[in-house]
Amino acid sequence: MTETLRIIPIGGCGEVGKNMTLIQYGDEAIAVDCGVMFPENDMLGIDLVIPDVSYLKQNPDLLKAILLTHGHEDHIGALPYVLPQVSVPLYATTLTRGLIEVKLREAKLLNKTEITTITTESVFEVGPFKIEPFHVPHSIPDAVGYAIYTPAGLVVHTGEYKFDPDPIDGRPPDIERLTSYGDEGVLALISDSTNSERPGSTPSEQIVSEAFEKLFTQIKGRVIVSMFASNISRIQQVINTAAKHDRKLAIVGRSMVANVKMARFLGYLDAPEGMIVSVDEINHHPDHKVAIVCTGTQGEPTSALVRMANDDHRQLRIKDTDTVILSATAIPGNEELVHRTIDNLFRLGANVIYQSLMPVHVSGHGAQEEQKKMLRLIRPQYFIPTQGEYRMLVLHGRLGEEVGIPKENIFIIENGDVVEFDDEGGFLNETVDSGNILIDGLGIGDIGSIVLRDRRLLSRDGFVVVTLAIDSETRELVGGPDIVSRGFVYVRDAEDLLEQAKKRVAKLVRRNKLGPDATTGVIRDSLSQFLYQRTHRNPMIFPMVIAV
Amino acid sequence: MTETLRIIPIGGCGEVGKNMTLIQYGDEAIAVDCGVMFPENDMLGIDLVIPDVSYLKQNPDLLKAILLTHGHEDHIGALPYVLPQVSVPLYATTLTRGLIEVKLREAKLLNKTEITTITTESVFEVGPFKIEPFHVPHSIPDAVGYAIYTPAGLVVHTGEYKFDPDPIDGRPPDIERLTSYGDEGVLALISDSTNSERPGSTPSEQIVSEAFEKLFTQIKGRVIVSMFASNISRIQQVINTAAKHDRKLAIVGRSMVANVKMARFLGYLDAPEGMIVSVDEINHHPDHKVAIVCTGTQGEPTSALVRMANDDHRQLRIKDTDTVILSATAIPGNEELVHRTIDNLFRLGANVIYQSLMPVHVSGHGAQEEQKKMLRLIRPQYFIPTQGEYRMLVLHGRLGEEVGIPKENIFIIENGDVVEFDDEGGFLNETVDSGNILIDGLGIGDIGSIVLRDRRLLSRDGFVVVTLAIDSETRELVGGPDIVSRGFVYVRDAEDLLEQAKKRVAKLVRRNKLGPDATTGVIRDSLSQFLYQRTHRNPMIFPMVIAV
């Protein structure tokens, strides 16, 4: 490899560089983040999606460290899967480290992993890189971006940010630091595109605090607030409001409890002594003294909120005096599940407050005006919009043009694309192996496009298996045919159809007297035609011919 | 049956009364609308969902007519499926009738169906009902609501409406008529809840015209506008703007072409002579003289727009000077497909304008202020919010309370619930059979919860079929075991696993020497345990044992 600088987003499942971005100089590289994505709706049966690190495995000594920007799943969640493949030291702020440790302990990787705690005062070196974390406000405390000094110039990775003047943790954006990088001269800016479709600025977290305050003042019964388990800032907001209104608070759900415990231990969550109680205990307090925080904003079937909505939670039953607040928006693809959850809560008589009714959630990402502000502060020579889907990158790129970056210096790229910088400037080089690695059960990456295609076909029209035995010499039918079918027709009501199919198969075998392989082909063709004619469906058909 | 009035929503797939509502007096009933729903994401392999008319089949002489409110799919689309089950006369306005006839002709039902054309001046009688259609502005011309005089009192069904002061067809809402019903005294109002989550009023269609005008003025290349095939008003807006800017217009897509033809024939679409040309011809005009209207706003894989976005449309290829306008919002559940389509169009270099960027779409349904206005005009004694999901009905019901309807006179009901009115007033009576009838290929209603559950299981972890032959006397293994599996593991990479599974099965058979049924059970238990241990997946397992 020549001594050039390369910037390569490699993880994000459609959102470029959302989960992982490589910054390489010569034969040494660092990665920013290592997160998971939730599968898209057509990734049937898949649990999680992680970045494809083939490029790092093909170049085993390349990666020197992973820098984490903040403690959300889509930025740290793939560490348990990636570290066994590419074992490198991690750098993270205190809270982010705490949340990582929870994961690595569970995966039995904590002892094997070197983690360095950093602060926004840290300056550290990895290979040819000198790195300065800088503070950014996001929907979790202790989030940072990274200023990465490389021999080719300064690269700034924003992490995920908004310019919230009044964030929950009291730490506004570090404008001074960003300005100073701009003054020094930045070669390339890698910046968060999430909200490039939204004009204006994202409202401050304070409007959520105000909505909570208003609601807690009105509500006479229990208040149940649902949110992402890693939304530590939002949890703090509920704690603050509940404390003011003299309500006890129960944290419900395994991941939520673990995160709150960790964040309190590390001093990132501040609750009055004795205020947080167990779920068992909360049921002994009068309703107007009770608040509950839980997960389930995405309608996840196993979450506490969905169990409550279905009236099958072990410890909590919805009452018609309850108010449920959904403090998050539905991730695209989850709308139906979320709506169903809201409907079911209403059916149980609860009042439900969600974003279309009141500002009980705001995004953690800056909108267009903030994105332009970032661009104006950093004034980069080159601009690489990342952490968004393609259209968001395009729109973010346009904002770059608006603030004066030449169009040819803006790279709208996809995962695996390599932006390379040599003496003459930045250009798009060849791509590296990259894609989505799908996790299903214990399997990492063994489910590819073929298995997914089969699952898709099976989900549409099911399958039909016909089994029969033929005598290997006479080729006479000696057993069967039997049929098993699922997902195609309701077998009990379709006895006639399946009986006819069997007769057809038996006749075919008797008439043709072919060997097993030829018989298989003949049966498949004949049956698929017959079944389509009768049903206009195309089940997968598998004849299994045993020669005995 | 006693002589009472019954109001029963029976179709809507989660949206109460969206597709069909029954109004029954004594032993005679009329239905309002007969539409289809698109399947929800977890209704795997289902093409369409239609209302369950079991109640009408159980009472074969009950239904006397179906009144249609407007020509959208979710209001007329189930006629080809329902009429063969319950053959009754239809009442519809001219355009609605035209759109119905397209459907019935295709289904070879047109000759068998009696249709009466009605206008907003009509008054007609069906059984004990005297019926007056009244004009409502919606996103299609010739939409009506119905004032239904019953022996028990006047029932008003709003159809779908907004109080657009300046609609495309030039016909503002008929406030006078609505006021007169209010003055006469209305027993029950059945009203559109779609937008009860939205504060304020829905903007007039004019803002879309203004956005189109602005875009057509700026755009130098081709303009491609995508919308629902039945959005006749929006097509008129494109025609108006394209005509003004001297562009030829091509209509692309089978359903779109059929609707436009019908609407022009009936005088509901007004285009200058020679302006609308074929797709073949449009390619001979210079780009700045070209506009195209097509379907695909929901990311439907076979739609014209999605084919263009995937660069595999037979006649149209996206150019980097094209502008594509998505004049619709994504129906919940379709977001991923819509986003993918937008992303792919951007990838091909087109500019894409969609609702988050410009007001190129507005809803056809009134928001909260309009819903309150309707309630204030009609001043009903009882209020039944319909045409919405449960939460929307709840919120619409609250608006009813706001304008002074007593809470106990507001019925938040589900499909199949019966609101009955006797001398003492309205009350909730028992429910009738109702639900979703799923259409898959030629099958109407043969796919129920069991087939769907199987499709769901297959889509998650696939299946494994093991086939083997045993001697019916000695119970020795004489053929197989063979395995076929799809959707579980990638068979080529899992040879080892499947080989071990086979060996395990062979050993079981040899050791146990059981009959076919017992062998089946033993194999299923053993394999499911073995495969779960190895993969943490739960494929459906089917042992097929042939005794020869």
Side-chain angles (χ1 to χ4, degrees), chain B residues 225-231 235 251-261 293-295:
Chain B
V225 190
S226 175
M227 63 185 71
F228 280 107
S230 57
N231 198 337
I235 298 173
I251 313 288
V252 182
R254 205 177 57 90
S255 54
M256 202 99 182
V257 169
N259 287 349
V260 167
K261 196 176 152 191
V293 167
C294 62
T295 57

Side-chain angles (χ1 to χ4, degrees), chain A residues 387-445:
Chain A
Q387 299 165 87
E389 297 177 35
Y390 199 82
R391 64 192 179 285
M392 301 171 189
L393 308 184
V394 171
L395 297 173
H396 200 186
R398 288 185 189 167
L399 298 180
E401 286 183 66
E402 263 185 54
V403 304
I405 301 173
K407 194 178 164 100
E408 61 274 16
N409 285 10
I410 299 171
F411 292 100
I412 309 299
I413 57 175
E414 309 242 26
N415 287 320
D417 285 346
V418 178
V419 181
E420 190 150 342
F421 298 88
D422 64 12
D423 296 344
E424 315 216 328
F427 59 98
L428 214 58
N429 204 330
E430 94 284 29
T431 60
V432 303
D433 279 345
S434 145
N436 300 313
I437 300 292
L438 310 182
I439 312 269
D440 179 11
L442 293 180
I444 299 179

Side-chain angles (χ1 to χ4, degrees), chain B residues 265-314:
Chain B
F265 174 74
L266 296 174
Y268 286 87
L269 267 180
D270 186 22
E273 195 62 35
M275 178 199 177
I276 297 185
V277 301
S278 71
V279 187
D280 287 330
E281 194 192 321
I282 203 101
N283 284 329
H284 298 302
H285 292 273
D287 288 355
H288 68 286
K289 294 289 171 203
V290 165
I292 292 166
V293 167
C294 62
T295 57
T297 56
Q298 301 306 305
E300 310 92 313
T302 59
S303 66
L305 188 68
V306 173
R307 286 191 197 282
M308 286 187 243
N310 295 337
D311 207 16
D312 67 357
H313 193 279
R314 218 162 31 86

Side-chain angles (χ1 to χ4, degrees), chain A residues 40-43 389 391 456, chain B residues 309-310 334-347:
Chain A
E40 297 177 7
N41 271 329
D42 57 1
M43 295 178 177
E389 297 177 35
R391 64 192 179 285
R456 216 129 50 209
Chain B
N310 295 337
N334 293 344
E335 288 82 357
E336 277 181 15
L337 291 175
V338 174
H339 292 163
R340 219 174 278 171
T341 305
I342 297 174
D343 287 345
N344 286 336
L345 290 165
F346 270 125
R347 284 191 179 98

Side-chain angles (χ1 to χ4, degrees), chain A residues 197 347 351 354 398 414, chain B residues 197 347 351 354 398 414:
Chain A
E197 291 174 294
R347 283 190 180 98
N351 189 17
Y354 49 103
R398 288 185 189 167
E414 309 242 26
Chain B
E197 289 173 295
R347 284 191 179 98
N351 189 16
Y354 48 104
R398 287 183 190 168
E414 309 244 23

Side-chain angles (χ1 to χ4, degrees), chain B residues 61-326:
Chain B
D61 292 325
L62 182 64
L63 194 70
K64 302 303 177 193
I66 301 176
L67 322 178
L68 292 312
T69 61
H70 63 283
H72 284 159
E73 280 304 300
D74 47 351
H75 295 265
I76 65 168
L79 285 170
Y81 302 97
V82 168
L83 286 177
Q85 303 180 67
V86 192
S87 179
V88 292
L90 311 182
Y91 292 83
T93 58
T94 306
L95 177 62
T96 308
R97 178 184 184 144
L99 294 165
I100 290 170
E101 286 185 349
V102 172
K103 277 183 192 309
L104 295 187
R105 189 169 296 121
E106 212 167 277
K108 300 197 170 55
L109 288 169
L110 190 52
N111 298 333
K112 299 175 200 156
T113 310
E114 183 192 327
I115 313 183
T116 304
T117 304
I118 54 172
T119 73
T120 51
E121 304 310 313
S122 305
V123 181
F124 55 98
E125 291 188 16
V126 177
F129 306 104
K130 193 187 84 177
I131 300 157
E132 285 181 17
F134 57 88
H135 169 68
V136 288
H138 186 42
S139 46
I140 185 168
D142 232 9
V144 293
Y146 288 100
I148 302 165
Y149 292 90
T150 81
L154 173 55
V155 175
V156 173
H157 188 299
T158 64
E160 299 196 329
Y161 71 94
K162 66 177 176 177
F163 282 113
D164 191 335
D166 203 1
I168 300 311
D169 65 0
R171 297 185 67 191
D174 192 346
I175 303 292
E176 206 177 317
R177 186 82 81 90
L178 295 171
T179 310
S180 80
Y181 296 136
D183 290 343
E184 287 176 46
V186 171
L187 176 67
L189 172 69
I190 303 167
S191 185
D192 177 4
S193 307
T194 309
N195 275 346
S196 63
E197 289 173 295
R198 297 204 199 163
S201 297
T202 300
S204 166
E205 282 289 326
Q206 293 306 328
I207 72 159
V208 175
S209 294
E210 286 161 22
F212 283 176
E213 174 59 27
K214 199 169 157 190
L215 286 167
F216 273 70
T217 306
Q218 292 167 353
I219 296 167
K220 305 272 177 281
R222 301 188 300 183
V223 185
I224 300 167
V225 190
S226 175
M227 63 185 71
F228 280 107
S230 57
N231 198 337
I232 306 288
S233 303
R234 198 58 53 75
I235 298 173
Q236 184 67 60
Q237 287 174 286
V238 177
I239 292 176
N240 296 348
T241 318
K244 187 171 163 201
H245 291 269
D246 198 24
R247 287 179 185 249
K248 298 282 181 189
L249 182 69
I251 313 288
V252 182
R254 205 177 57 90
S255 54
M256 202 99 182
V257 169
N259 287 349
V260 167
K261 196 176 152 191
M262 174 58 72
R264 288 185 81 186
F265 174 74
L266 296 174
Y268 286 87
L269 267 180
D270 186 22
E273 195 62 35
M275 178 199 177
I276 297 185
V277 301
S278 71
V279 187
D280 287 330
E281 194 192 321
I282 203 101
N283 284 329
H284 298 302
H285 292 273
D287 288 355
H288 68 286
K289 294 289 171 203
V290 165
I292 292 166
V293 167
C294 62
T295 57
T297 56
Q298 301 306 305
E300 310 92 313
T302 59
S303 66
L305 188 68
V306 173
R307 286 191 197 282
M308 286 187 243
N310 295 337
D311 207 16
D312 67 357
H313 193 279
R314 218 162 31 86
Q315 296 157 298
L316 294 167
R317 293 199 64 167
I318 292 292
K319 308 179 187 183
D320 59 9
T321 50
D322 287 343
T323 302
V324 178
I325 301 172
L326 265 77

Side-chain angles (χ1 to χ4, degrees), chain B residues 376-419:
Chain B
R376 288 199 185 104
L377 291 170
I378 299 293
R379 287 155 283 153
Q381 197 179 341
Y382 292 91
F383 171 35
I384 307 174
T386 59
Q387 297 165 87
E389 297 177 36
Y390 198 83
R391 66 193 177 285
M392 301 171 189
L393 308 184
V394 170
L395 298 172
H396 199 186
R398 287 183 190 168
L399 299 179
E401 288 182 66
E402 264 184 53
V403 305
I405 301 173
K407 196 181 164 99
E408 60 275 17
N409 286 9
I410 299 170
F411 290 101
I412 308 299
I413 57 175
E414 309 244 23
N415 287 319
D417 285 346
V418 177
V419 182

